[in-house]
Amino acid sequence: MGKSMYVSRQDADDAGVMWHKSSYSYPEGECVEVAQPSGAQVLFDDSKVRKGRLVEVSTAAAVAFVTAVRRGDI
């Protein structure tokens, strides 16, 4: 898997990144948001920490993570 790195939410928002709320989010608004600004990268954000950093991973790493969650492996 590719190396994870952190980027700022402000930089992503300034670049026009489109965010999608996780279907597993709580109704109170606490959620994980996901964006795919390019075919090669995926960004994850914790909406409770608006000034926090984002986790940036390769698309392959994101697919492996989501697959493992769906299988109940993690």
Side-chain angles (χ1 to χ4, degrees):
M1 282 190 222
K3 179 183 166 190
S4 295
M5 63 186 235
Y6 297 97
V7 296
S8 79
R9 174 70 188 236
Q10 187 62 48
D11 289 345
D13 289 347
D14 287 348
V17 171
M18 299 295 296
W19 293 95
H20 303 281
K21 187 175 181 178
S22 168
S23 60
Y24 292 97
S25 299
Y26 291 111
E28 299 83 24
E30 296 177 355
C31 65
V32 171
E33 293 178 305
V34 179
Q36 189 170 16
S38 76
Q41 72 183 129
V42 176
L43 302 174
F44 291 95
D45 184 33
D46 180 351
S47 68
K48 295 183 305 289
V49 186
R50 295 315 282 167
K51 296 189 188 249
R53 297 183 298 173
L54 308 173
V55 175
E56 177 184 22
V57 298
S58 70
T59 300
V63 168
F65 172 73
V66 171
T67 300
V69 169
R70 287 184 176 157
R71 279 195 314 244
D73 294 343
I74 55 173

